[in-house]
Amino acid sequence: MELAATTPHTPGQFDPENLQVTYCNKTDDEMKLAYWLFRMMGHPTLVKAGGFATTWALQLGLPIKWMIRNTVYRHFCGGESVQEAQKVIDKLAAAHVQTVLDYAAEAQNTEDGFNAVRDEVLQNIALAKEAKTFTFISVKLTGIGHNCIFEKLQGKQQLTPAEQEAHKRTRERLDSICKAAAEAGITVYIDAEECWMQAPMDDLAEDMMRRYNKDRAVVFNTLQMYRTDRVKYLKDCLHRFEGEPVILGIKLVRGAYLEKEQQRAKEKGYPCPVFHKKEDTDKSYNAAIDLCLEHLHRVELCAATHNEQSIKYLTQRIRQDGIADHRQRIHFSQLYGMSDNLTYNLANAGYSASKYLPYGKVDTAVPYLIRRAEENTSIAGQMGRELSLLQQEMRRRHL
């Protein structure tokens, strides 16, 4: 189908109910697979058991990779290599959807592992510079640095000389990525992680913003708005950078480690760092949107959310406030394989919309896939919404 044409300055009306746009590039087989997967993910007990069984089977060397690859991996990942992912990138681009390329390497624990992740990301930046098919990449700091060192820094513990050298190398890896991105015209989204090691990650992100965010936001820091302290952090960050020739890159998410954060706080006896009520997270998220819009002359914002109400709120603000350069200053992003009704209809209405597209070897990506599945089961109404939209489109196609 032909997508609506809009100008960058006059975004159209965002309509998340337009299913012809939502599923414009999904084949009948892909529709059926998505429906089956979301039905399975509607059962939290089954998801947890499946995650455990999958990890166990891979550790034992059982031949199940083909099954993973053709089901959950196929739906949520772009492929095992950048070359495979390129096909998905091209398919998204045909619908005016951009790509945030995400190398699905979970936490490493060796210098060789950290260097390998850095080198992979640098290769991707070089590819993007040459091919010009995507302009965003994602970096997870525990992929290029020791999480135990981040934890010690968070707890204000003294690092040993060896740990100081290791952390210096982590900073150098991140700096090499950000420098290459700045030169290539690429944007780097630094992922948020667990609260017990986030503060030193915030410090690194802010250091990189000071260094590279002069003419545009090369580097974005990610704020998990289910945390009770993130609105304050954002206010403090805006204050710290006031008067500096720096464009802040702020990516807002709701949060990925809810159960883990609650459980650890309970076990260790400290105040829970995340909200207990979804409504409080929603308020926190929209308050952060308001703060970014208030300072949009020195902020670039990425609203990386699957919450339809927050997206409607932000699109309405863009239209009401007449933000002419919204495609340069405000971005929307959702995970590949989820909430296509949001991403595709945002792109169709003329907004800057992207998919987070992970890629990597099947066994390497399994921790990521398990986390995605478990997150989906914990999002109130997510499965029902996905299934309802899929059912409507399948009925329309007579599947």
Side-chain angles (χ1 to χ4, degrees):
M1 68 166 290
E2 187 172 338
L3 298 170
T6 59
T7 69
H9 302 300
T10 56
Q13 189 69 42
F14 166 58
D15 178 14
E17 306 294 331
N18 188 331
L19 298 187
Q20 285 184 277
V21 171
T22 298
Y23 300 116
C24 61
N25 64 10
K26 260 199 170 32
T27 66
D28 290 352
D29 285 343
E30 287 170 338
M31 291 291 298
K32 291 174 183 177
L33 173 62
Y35 181 72
W36 177 79
L37 281 171
F38 282 114
R39 279 195 66 186
M40 293 299 103
M41 287 188 291
H43 302 279
T45 303
L46 189 62
V47 168
K48 285 190 179 295
F52 175 79
T54 300
T55 303
W56 177 77
L58 287 171
Q59 287 174 347
L60 290 179
L62 300 180
I64 64 164
K65 286 185 185 179
W66 65 271
M67 181 180 71
I68 300 169
R69 183 181 175 88
N70 289 308
T71 53
V72 64
Y73 180 92
R74 175 183 162 193
H75 183 77
F76 287 110
C77 293
E80 293 201 82
S81 65
V82 177
Q83 288 70 31
E84 282 186 26
Q86 188 64 55
K87 297 173 186 176
V88 179
I89 293 169
D90 293 341
K91 197 174 181 181
L92 291 170
H96 311 301
V97 174
Q98 302 172 80
T99 295
V100 182
L101 194 62
D102 180 18
Y103 178 46
E106 293 295 307
Q108 304 290 310
N109 56 18
T110 68
E111 292 293 310
D112 286 345
F114 300 142
N115 290 336
V117 172
R118 176 205 58 201
D119 293 346
E120 183 78 16
V121 174
L122 288 174
Q123 285 176 16
N124 291 342
I125 292 171
L127 176 66
K129 183 179 181 180
E130 181 182 349
K132 301 190 185 306
T133 52
F134 60 92
T135 55
F136 302 95
I137 61 165
S138 174
V139 174
K140 194 175 174 71
L141 292 188
T142 51
I144 60 171
H146 295 278
N147 58 6
C148 60
I149 294 178
F150 287 122
E151 286 187 48
K152 284 189 74 171
L153 288 168
Q154 174 92 17
K156 303 191 185 312
Q157 298 177 44
Q158 184 67 40
L159 299 184
T160 66
E163 288 171 336
Q164 290 174 15
E165 285 300 313
H167 191 60
K168 181 183 174 185
R169 288 192 294 272
T170 297
R171 179 190 165 82
E172 289 170 350
R173 290 184 193 102
L174 180 60
D175 185 68
S176 67
I177 289 169
C178 295
K179 182 174 186 291
E183 293 171 352
I186 303 300
T187 297
V188 179
Y189 289 143
I190 297 178
D191 282 353
E193 304 197 42
E194 292 90 343
C195 77
W196 57 87
M197 51 180 154
Q198 185 60 48
M201 295 179 178
D202 292 338
D203 292 341
L204 279 176
E206 290 187 21
D207 285 347
M208 294 301 121
M209 283 195 276
R210 278 199 168 88
R211 181 168 289 200
Y212 296 106
N213 289 17
K214 300 299 184 183
D215 300 315
R216 67 179 181 91
V218 174
V219 181
F220 278 67
N221 193 20
T222 301
L223 279 57
Q224 299 186 102
M225 301 313 300
Y226 69 178
R227 283 186 52 174
T228 59
D229 65 348
R230 291 292 89 177
V231 170
K232 182 181 184 303
Y233 168 80
L234 179 56
K235 288 178 179 178
D236 292 344
C237 189
L238 287 163
H239 180 71
R240 277 194 296 278
F241 281 85
E242 193 168 358
E244 294 190 35
V246 176
I247 298 172
L248 287 178
I250 302 295
K251 179 162 74 78
L252 303 177
V253 300
R254 274 175 162 73
Y257 308 100
L258 183 66
E259 291 183 7
K260 187 189 286 188
E261 294 282 9
Q262 291 173 335
Q263 185 64 32
R264 189 176 189 271
K266 186 177 179 181
E267 289 174 357
K268 294 189 175 289
Y270 59 80
C272 187
V274 299
F275 291 113
H276 292 285
K277 294 180 181 177
K278 178 184 177 296
E279 294 81 8
D280 291 331
T281 297
D282 293 341
K283 289 177 185 175
S284 171
Y285 195 95
N286 286 5
I289 286 177
D290 288 338
L291 277 167
C292 289
L293 293 181
E294 184 182 336
H295 297 270
L296 201 57
H297 59 288
R298 59 189 184 102
V299 169
E300 279 189 37
L301 166 65
C302 175
T305 179
H306 295 251
N307 185 281
E308 196 170 305
Q309 297 310 311
S310 288
I311 288 174
K312 284 181 176 177
Y313 176 68
L314 182 50
T315 57
Q316 287 166 3
R317 284 290 309 271
I318 290 170
R319 289 164 63 87
Q320 289 168 7
D321 297 355
I323 302 173
D325 59 347
H326 64 92
R327 287 189 61 87
Q328 288 73 48
R329 310 295 292 196
I330 302 170
H331 313 281
F332 297 85
S333 194
Q334 288 78 43
L335 297 167
Y336 181 69
M338 289 177 60
S339 300
D340 288 347
N341 67 310
L342 304 180
T343 317
Y344 285 88
N345 284 301
L346 281 165
N348 189 54
Y351 296 96
S352 171
S354 65
K355 284 291 194 189
Y356 249 68
L357 182 66
Y359 79 94
K361 298 296 183 184
V362 172
D363 48 356
T364 304
V366 161
Y368 169 89
L369 293 169
I370 291 172
R371 194 168 72 248
R372 281 289 88 86
E374 290 180 347
E375 278 176 33
N376 284 340
T377 64
S378 67
I379 300 174
Q382 180 74 42
M383 291 305 97
R385 180 71 166 142
E386 296 278 5
L387 284 170
S388 173
L389 294 171
L390 286 163
Q391 285 172 329
Q392 290 177 52
E393 178 64 8
M394 289 171 78
R395 279 197 296 269
R396 192 184 72 82
R397 296 188 188 189
H398 306 292
L399 297 181

